[in-house]
Amino acid sequence: MGDVLIFAEHQGGHFPKSTLTAVHAGLELAKKRGGKAVAVVAGDAPEAAAGEIAKYGVAKVIALAHPALKNYLADAHAQALAALAKKEGAEFVMATATAMGKDLFPRLAARLGAGMASEITAINDDQTFVRPTYAGNVMATVEIDGPIKVLTVRGTAFDAAKPGDGAAPVEKQNAEIDAGALKMEFVSFNATKSDRPQLTEARIIVSGGRGLKAGENFKAVLEPLVDELGAAMGASRAAVDAGFVPNDLQVGQTGKVVAPELYIAVGISGAIQHLAGMKDSKVICAINKDEEAPIFAVADYGLVADLFKAVPEITEEIKKLKHS
Amino acid sequence: MKILVPIKRVPDPATTIRVLPDGTGIATDNVKWVINPFCEIAIEEALRIKEKQTGEVILVTVGQSTWQEQLRTGLAMGADRAILVKTDAALDSLAIAKILAKIAGDEKPDLIILGKQAIDDDANQVGQMVAEMLGWPQATFASKIEIAADKISVMREVDGGLETIAFKIPAVITADLRLNEPRYASLPGIMKARKKELKEIAADSLGVDLAPKLKVKTLAAPPKRQGGRKVASAQEMVSLLHTEAKVI
Ligand SMILES: Cc1cc2nc3c(=O)[nH]c(=O)nc-3n(C[C@@H](O)[C@H](O)[C@H](O)COP(=O)(O)OP(=O)(O)OC[C@H]3O[C@@H](n4cnc5c(N)ncnc54)[C@H](O)[C@@H]3O)c2cc1C
Ligand SMILES: Cc1cc2nc3c(=O)[nH]c(=O)nc-3n(C[C@H](O)[C@H](O)[C@H](O)COP(=O)(O)OP(=O)(O)OC[C@H]3O[C@@H](n4cnc5c(N)ncnc54)[C@H](O)[C@@H]3O)c2cc1C
């Protein structure tokens, strides 16, 4: 009882910060429930990546191998993880609520006949968890019944696990997959090209909204500030819908949830759906010409100004600061 | 193509949500109820597929009698008929998925299109659960669906870009924001909807175990963020970020 199986999502053998937050949460949960934390790395040849995650404080790492696990597909991964969870006798199976975690874990829960809590933000001492609902306006305390419990964690709510001195043993297992039941085919992945940090990894995020008025202005006005700060770029839904920037830059209830050290919102009004994705940032700045814009209510530093004038000025000031 | 579209009734996204003082629910006195925006997108997509080929679009919701309103709205958009699976119980996603899988077993649709997430409970679970229960392929977060012969390819919004996967029907798809822009119900549509079939089934007559595995104990408002301070200039903002907040 109390054992936690952590699905360690990797990107070609590299573990993003979002995965390390699930490891951290898994270690916390195992400690609170008196079990051990085991990480699982899935792939066609997951051994090297498994060796990497073994340094992060878990009791054991399982390198779960199968040719069908080469590209991520929900059906094969759900089969493999469900079989493993049962075999290992895990009480909890968890992952980060990334696009992959959100896609896979409900399917896994159904396969296990288990209850699932999505995007938990806290692990309580009394068997309950906390999860945000209604765009973060209502925090629900929930309890899962049954021998196996499935969870995804909100990456921004937990610290990232840190590597220690030693490394846990890595155990290779061949995944149990009924290949005849697999019905999904991977066709292609069209990566958003960017040299900037990913939204969920970045220390600083600069986001633009409809106030930018055009995609070119993201380039001409926002990007110099983004790059001067070494920041990631984000956007409101309105900016994405208008085609100013790619879809995966959307921050909010139905986009990415972020909590960087500094979030700068430019020409974004601050609708609840946007706030849901960034209001846990450590410091929030807002630049908006409308002093009544709701974004100012959550901003530590608000500047009422025309962004086309203010953003270049801010960029210039930061340059000066760096060279002083 | 026969398409089943499960929809959920939720508070209008523009509503300010308040938790009841005893933590048992949300205040519903001033709430306007609507179809979950992602479910509207799902209905629209089903209608477009039907309009391109032929077929039938069937709406289903698991909820109380009042949820008929949203089924009627969906019928007015153009869906052919609707099913209300009636329950007053607090069901979890797993139970809802079991009900939907049972309905799918009876109706035998080629496709089930759902919303990717309900904007109230924000669980993002039901579609994936139904897919597993039926042993069907799934494409969540769909932003483009292409149907050729019996093969479907779906472009999905995932971290870092767009992924395309393919499979044969029957299958489950969940709609993301940019799949389409839903139509409004027209006046003739609203008139016609009144005469369309809306069947009621009692949830506990379906013979599925509905006891929730996930139980909501209490609800609470989140801690409020203290903001609101204004600065006078770009210079002041940068200087405070450097000397006071120490983040740059
Ligand atoms: C009074 C009350 C008590 C509740 N108590 C609990 C509880 O104890 N435990 C618990 O886990 N949850 C409880 N809930 C919430 C629960 O019913 C959720 O609605 C359910 O878990 C589904 O999650 P979701 O709505 O976020 O769906 P998501 O998985 O986010 O929805 C995705 C899609 O699934 C479809 N869908 C979702 N719900 C329905 C539906 N009802 N009918 C048809 N299609 C649907 C829609 O297409 C939707 O777009 C309660 C709700 C109410 C109103
Ligand atoms: C189901 C659903 C899900 C949603 N999910 C999300 C989500 O995940 N993320 C999200 O962001 N939104 C989401 N939304 C949309 C959300 O409700 C808002 O519509 C959206 O966030 C608005 O984007 P915006 O602030 O860029 O645009 P607007 O609200 O139009 O604001 C533009 C702002 O720019 C300012 N401005 C204009 N010109 C200038 C200038 N020259 N200088 C300075 N300021 C200027 C204006 O004063 C205004 O405040 C969702 C909505 C729904 C219904």
Side-chain angles (χ1 to χ4, degrees):
Chain A
M1 284 291 279
D3 288 356
V4 182
L5 191 64
I6 307 159
F7 174 66
E9 178 181 343
H10 62 102
Q11 298 168 345
H14 161 77
F15 292 95
K17 186 174 152 213
S18 54
T19 300
L20 300 178
T21 60
V23 173
H24 184 103
L27 290 169
E28 180 182 335
L29 180 59
K31 198 165 163 204
K32 285 193 172 160
R33 304 288 193 267
K36 64 178 190 299
V38 175
V40 51
V41 181
D44 55 342
E47 295 86 341
E52 195 50 42
I53 204 70
K55 299 172 190 155
Y56 285 82
V58 293
K60 178 171 85 172
V61 180
I62 297 167
L64 191 63
H66 195 286
L69 300 176
K70 180 169 193 282
N71 287 309
Y72 167 74
L73 286 168
D75 54 359
H77 275 70
Q79 276 198 29
L81 276 185
L84 182 70
K86 281 195 207 144
K87 192 167 145 211
E88 294 290 316
E91 181 178 356
F92 301 95
V93 192
M94 69 196 300
T96 313
T98 56
M100 194 188 289
K102 289 177 185 174
D103 184 57
L104 173 61
F105 267 53
R107 186 161 187 135
L108 172 66
R111 195 167 178 91
L112 291 166
M116 168 171 173
S118 297
E119 293 206 43
I120 60 160
T121 55
I123 299 165
N124 294 333
D125 292 329
D126 65 349
Q127 308 287 330
T128 61
F129 302 96
V130 178
R131 59 174 303 264
T133 60
Y134 294 90
N137 290 304
V138 178
M139 306 303 284
T141 300
V142 300
E143 187 175 58
I144 312 175
D145 277 352
I148 303 191
K149 305 164 178 77
V150 176
L151 300 160
T152 56
V153 307
R154 176 167 282 192
T156 56
F158 296 88
D159 292 333
K162 293 200 170 61
D165 295 332
V170 174
E171 182 183 303
K172 188 180 169 191
Q173 293 197 24
N174 293 320
E176 287 172 34
I177 293 178
D178 169 10
L182 300 180
K183 294 172 181 162
M184 299 169 58
E185 177 195 335
F186 172 83
V187 178
S188 63
F189 180 62
N190 190 351
T192 307
K193 285 196 188 66
S194 173
D195 299 330
R196 303 198 177 91
Q198 293 177 23
L199 271 174
T200 48
E201 305 280 297
R203 198 180 71 81
I204 302 178
I205 294 172
V206 180
S207 284
R210 196 183 339 244
L212 266 294
K213 295 193 173 65
E216 303 89 78
N217 294 332
F218 267 82
K219 287 212 162 53
V221 182
L222 213 60
E223 287 190 6
L225 175 60
V226 172
D227 292 337
E228 194 57 44
L229 288 167
M233 190 157 81
S236 71
R237 174 185 173 188
V240 175
D241 282 357
F244 300 168
V245 291
N247 298 356
D248 69 321
L249 297 193
Q250 180 178 317
V251 171
Q253 178 191 14
T254 58
K256 291 215 167 54
V257 177
V258 299
E261 280 185 39
L262 173 61
Y263 189 90
I264 306 182
V266 179
I268 291 177
S269 60
I272 49 168
Q273 292 86 3
H274 189 79
L275 301 184
M278 44 65 76
K279 70 176 163 36
D280 294 327
S281 304
K282 193 161 152 251
V283 176
I284 297 174
C285 283
I287 299 135
N288 196 302
K289 67 176 180 191
D290 172 13
E291 63 176 321
E292 303 291 328
I295 189 76
F296 286 127
V298 300
D300 301 288
Y301 305 106
L303 178 60
V304 182
D306 184 336
L307 71 91
F308 294 101
K309 184 166 164 286
V311 172
E313 283 175 9
I314 293 172
T315 312
E316 218 28 62
E317 285 299 314
I318 292 170
K319 256 187 211 152
K320 275 195 226 158
L321 191 70
K322 275 194 181 163
H323 299 293
S324 66
Chain B
M1 199 171 282
K2 186 167 173 180
I3 308 173
L4 186 67
V5 184
I7 67 169
K8 190 182 184 193
R9 169 183 164 108
V10 300
D12 183 290
T15 313
T16 309
I17 300 294
R18 276 173 301 111
V19 180
L20 292 173
D22 65 0
T24 56
I26 59 155
T28 51
D29 28 334
N30 287 317
V31 169
K32 183 182 154 210
W33 297 96
V34 299
I35 302 177
N36 176 40
F38 288 99
C39 299
E40 275 189 317
I41 299 172
I43 298 173
E44 177 65 35
E45 196 64 19
L47 293 174
R48 288 187 191 184
I49 295 171
K50 180 192 145 179
E51 285 157 5
K52 252 187 242 158
Q53 318 185 336
T54 51
E56 189 182 19
V57 176
I58 308 155
L59 306 178
V60 54
T61 195
V62 183
Q64 301 172 351
S65 306
T66 45
W67 294 33
Q68 282 191 27
E69 289 167 32
Q70 281 64 44
L71 289 175
R72 286 284 172 213
T73 307
L75 291 172
M77 285 172 74
D80 297 290
R81 56 186 172 94
I83 303 166
L84 170 67
V85 181
K86 225 171 115 180
T87 176
D88 290 328
L91 303 180
D92 65 356
S93 303
L94 201 65
I96 291 168
K98 281 182 203 161
I99 292 173
L100 295 175
K102 179 78 176 48
I103 299 286
D106 297 339
E107 292 284 350
K108 304 198 169 39
D110 302 302
L111 265 185
I112 305 179
I113 310 182
L114 307 88
K116 81 161 175 179
Q117 120 192 33
I119 59 152
D120 51 357
D121 294 293
D122 279 338
N124 196 331
Q125 297 182 349
V126 174
Q128 298 88 312
M129 288 177 166
V130 174
E132 173 60 33
M133 287 169 187
L134 294 168
W136 291 4
Q138 73 184 45
T140 52
F141 325 142
S143 67
K144 194 170 174 193
I145 301 174
E146 272 172 28
I147 302 181
D150 64 341
K151 193 154 178 176
I152 300 190
S153 57
V154 182
M155 196 158 89
R156 308 178 53 231
E157 294 198 17
V158 299
D159 296 336
L162 292 163
E163 182 194 76
T164 303
I165 58 174
F167 40 70
K168 291 195 174 114
I169 57 169
V172 173
I173 297 176
T174 77
D176 213 322
L177 285 172
R178 281 159 285 267
L179 183 58
N180 60 50
E181 266 196 59
R183 69 193 67 185
Y184 292 101
S186 67
L187 201 56
I190 295 168
M191 304 301 286
K192 268 195 224 154
R194 293 195 187 140
K195 297 198 201 78
K196 288 180 180 168
E197 178 189 310
L198 196 162
K199 187 165 77 177
E200 267 189 40
I201 304 175
D204 42 24
S205 73
L206 292 172
V208 290
D209 174 15
L210 301 178
K213 291 243 164 68
L214 181 73
K215 292 189 179 132
V216 179
K217 306 299 257 186
T218 57
L219 303 178
K224 231 183 142 66
R225 189 179 174 105
Q226 284 303 325
R229 176 171 171 193
K230 299 262 171 55
V231 299
S233 66
Q235 288 80 349
E236 189 186 353
M237 179 174 274
V238 173
S239 147
L240 286 170
L241 286 175
H242 182 60
T243 57
E244 189 181 87
K246 299 190 166 53
V247 285
I248 58 173

